Amino acid sequence: MRLRRIFPHFLKPRPLLCRPASFNQPSACLSDGPTPRPLIGQDVQVQGRSFPRDDFTNVTNKILEKVGVNLHNQQHHPLWIIKERIKEHFYSSYVGRWGNPLFSVHDNLSPVVSVEQNFDSLLIPPDHPSRKKGDNYYINRSSMLRAHTSAHQRELVSAGLDAFLLAGDVYRRDEIDSAHFPVFHQMEGVRLFSDHELFSSVDGGDHLSLFESSGRRTPQKQEVHSLEAVKLVEFSLKETLRRLVLQLFGPEVEVRWVDCYFPFTHPSFELEVRFRGQWLEVLGCGVMEQQLLHSAGAGHKLGWAFGLGLERLAMVLFDISDIRLFWSRDERFLQQFRVQDLHQPISFQPLSKFPPLHNDISFWLPDSGSFSQNDFFDLVRSVGGDLVERVTLVDSFTHPKTGRRSECYRIVYRHMERTLTQEEVRLTHAEIEKTAERDLDVEGRY
């Protein structure tokens, strides 16, 4: 099973006068040129910390430039608007006994985590495909940029939190198109219940228990859970998320639940909404695996968790067609989201569409079988930056006599804020060709 973006744990020559990114402000322009290749043996510097480089290190300077930008915390940014709408809904709808918000919010945790936090703490097996070096940004064998915000779930539960929302930037090596970017943002929620909290409003609740000693795992529940407890937790989860979706999409939206599988919840579900005539997958959720809660010191409680992608929601709700726009500093983009009312309807008016330019690149793959598409995509992002709109495999060929394989990719270049020239695209494309031969051991067919 692949981990999905929508459920956190369930789961790119720089122009002159370009102000570099800082911890509080994105770059003032889109990156247009090659990034210097990091020196072998040089430590990786992330947020003032130094990490030794090893054979697993694959994080690039282009990616490290995004760490600390925190688009989800920049006021009036579209991702901030979605995050704040969700936060406000939970603050107003779920209040503790003393009138305070039931859910705490954590949206400034460092994206640098241990491999153990990112995978083992979530019961993701050692051989699970989501751990692949080709799919993640590893700082070294023991540290990485989080692939989902749920990497912090155990630490927050261990700190004694029973209800919290968590938002942040996450990092995945992936394909290149208008809906995928190596840095995106997630938000999730967790709610835990004690015996008393779950059964206090139920007739005869004093005789019910969260757990049973001789149970077995079924499609409806985990082996240690009582069926009564799971059904109440599942109802709380679905009702909470139904209300959230109605708040985001409007009271008339249709919703439906789809059974699915995640390593860290059981039972597990995906929530879909019928939006503009088609069913759209919005989030994933489920009853938390009891082993996960036990390892966090909360084994005496039951809980649910959900997760969603902020970019996905913003692209749908605001009609944003290209994920790269979230990183733009173009005032024509940003000013459309400077609204006084957080819940004011927003329909993004597209910027002038600058013409695309495309170039093909063909090469023989190495006989060793070491070539990975995600390695190539990441290389293209590192050299071409955010001016690369899409990369598509257009042809694959096996030589009938030698058995050698070649692939041809089409790279579409389009800047979001200006017209590219064929000359600057040719220079960038030549750099991609040279770097691919050097770093990926391919043989060009140019």
Side-chain angles (χ1 to χ4, degrees):
M1 169 242 166
R2 60 186 180 89
L3 297 186
R4 296 175 181 240
R5 288 194 164 180
I6 58 160
F7 199 5
H9 62 288
F10 292 110
L11 79 151
K12 317 170 191 90
R14 182 171 290 171
L16 296 176
L17 304 180
C18 178
R19 175 167 48 78
S22 70
F23 286 125
N24 299 312
Q25 186 78 6
S27 172
C29 60
L30 294 173
S31 258
D32 288 344
T35 299
R37 194 180 181 206
L39 298 175
I40 300 300
Q42 185 182 52
D43 284 354
V44 180
Q45 304 294 325
V46 192
Q47 293 186 308
R49 299 169 61 191
S50 184
F51 297 84
R53 188 181 297 273
D54 62 23
D55 62 321
F56 243 59
T57 304
N58 65 358
V59 65
T60 65
N61 289 345
K62 268 290 193 292
I63 295 301
L64 292 176
E65 288 176 0
K66 308 295 188 186
V67 177
V69 174
N70 295 332
L71 296 179
H72 63 289
N73 287 338
Q74 294 184 17
Q75 192 171 19
H76 299 300
H77 190 279
L79 300 181
W80 175 86
I81 291 175
I82 297 294
K83 183 199 74 172
E84 290 297 308
R85 286 181 180 181
I86 295 172
K87 185 173 81 174
E88 185 177 287
H89 170 75
F90 275 88
Y91 274 5
S92 61
S93 301
Y94 304 95
V95 180
R97 68 170 65 180
W98 308 115
N100 297 320
L102 183 64
F103 286 79
S104 59
V105 177
H106 308 267
D107 56 10
N108 203 29
L109 298 176
S110 172
V112 178
V113 298
S114 69
V115 172
E116 193 274 341
Q117 282 177 284
N118 198 78
F119 295 118
D120 299 283
S121 74
L122 297 166
L123 311 180
I124 299 172
D127 59 349
H128 198 280
S130 66
R131 291 179 179 253
K132 289 190 303 183
K133 181 179 176 182
D135 290 345
N136 300 283
Y137 285 105
Y138 284 93
I139 298 173
N140 52 38
R141 281 188 171 268
S142 60
S143 301
M144 64 187 297
L145 297 179
R146 63 189 173 207
H148 37 243
T149 50
S150 299
H152 304 285
Q153 194 176 101
R154 186 179 64 186
E155 67 188 86
L156 294 178
V157 172
S158 296
L161 299 180
D162 285 345
F164 58 84
L165 300 174
L166 173 60
D169 46 334
V170 299
Y171 300 77
R172 307 247 185 103
R173 302 175 90 220
D174 211 337
E175 59 198 285
I176 301 176
D177 58 35
S178 62
H180 294 85
F181 200 78
V183 189
F184 53 103
H185 300 75
Q186 294 180 330
M187 193 165 188
E188 67 180 87
V190 168
R191 176 78 168 97
L192 306 184
F193 299 89
S194 67
D195 208 306
H196 173 73
E197 289 172 308
L198 196 61
F199 296 127
S200 60
S201 60
V202 178
D203 289 340
D206 292 342
H207 304 290
L208 299 176
S209 173
L210 299 178
F211 308 105
E212 59 183 26
S213 58
S214 57
R216 62 186 181 88
R217 180 169 290 241
T218 70
Q220 288 75 40
K221 72 179 196 70
Q222 298 169 39
E223 50 268 46
V224 297
H225 294 164
S226 70
L227 185 59
E228 297 85 2
V230 170
K231 288 304 180 183
L232 287 173
V233 171
E234 182 182 323
F235 176 80
S236 167
L237 169 64
K238 290 183 175 180
E239 186 62 14
T240 299
L241 296 180
R242 186 186 69 83
R243 291 176 179 174
L244 173 62
V245 166
L246 294 182
Q247 176 67 31
L248 293 173
F249 286 86
E252 304 302 322
V253 70
E254 293 182 66
V255 302
R256 70 181 183 187
W257 297 95
V258 179
D259 293 338
C260 62
Y261 165 79
F262 302 114
F264 15 73
T265 56
H266 180 81
S268 304
F269 315 96
E270 288 172 348
L271 175 58
E272 297 181 349
V273 300
R274 189 164 181 80
F275 189 71
R276 295 177 182 168
Q278 60 182 357
W279 286 102
L280 175 70
E281 190 179 340
V282 174
L283 56 81
C285 60
V287 178
M288 298 172 70
E289 282 284 352
Q290 199 61 30
Q291 184 182 339
L292 191 157
L293 292 178
H294 181 78
S295 70
H300 59 295
K301 297 181 178 181
L302 256 65
W304 53 248
F306 75 88
L308 51 82
L310 294 178
E311 277 90 347
R312 181 177 178 84
L313 281 177
M315 292 177 80
V316 171
L317 293 174
F318 301 149
D319 291 324
I320 299 173
S321 61
D322 194 313
I323 197 170
R324 292 177 300 160
L325 278 167
F326 292 110
W327 295 89
S328 174
R329 302 309 300 165
D330 191 323
E331 275 298 310
R332 295 174 300 164
F333 174 75
L334 297 174
Q335 62 90 19
Q336 297 189 45
F337 300 94
R338 295 194 181 107
V339 294
Q340 292 185 346
D341 181 0
L342 185 65
H343 299 285
Q344 176 180 329
I346 302 172
S347 183
F348 172 64
Q349 300 302 309
L351 310 180
S352 298
K353 194 76 170 178
F354 295 100
L357 296 172
H358 74 264
N359 289 53
D360 292 349
I361 177 172
S362 300
F363 43 72
W364 295 105
L365 305 186
D367 296 333
S368 63
S370 60
F371 178 81
S372 161
Q373 267 197 356
N374 276 355
D375 287 343
F376 177 64
F377 293 153
D378 205 43
L379 181 147
V380 173
R381 285 196 190 278
S382 294
V383 176
D386 297 332
L387 62 83
V388 177
E389 179 178 79
R390 184 172 65 255
V391 179
T392 308
L393 176 65
V394 294
D395 184 54
S396 182
F397 168 74
T398 301
H399 195 284
K401 293 184 178 180
T402 65
R404 296 184 71 191
R405 287 183 54 231
S406 75
E407 292 183 346
C408 177
Y409 291 86
R410 176 156 297 164
I411 303 178
V412 178
Y413 301 87
R414 191 204 307 262
H415 204 288
M416 302 301 295
E417 298 167 9
R418 63 181 176 84
T419 298
L420 294 172
T421 67
Q422 189 61 254
E423 180 58 29
E424 65 181 313
V425 166
R426 266 198 299 268
L427 290 174
T428 300
H429 198 75
E431 182 68 21
I432 291 173
E433 292 173 339
K434 182 176 70 175
T435 308
E437 289 190 326
R438 183 189 70 194
D439 293 357
L440 302 182
D441 197 26
V442 299
E443 181 183 335
R445 299 181 66 192
Y446 317 135

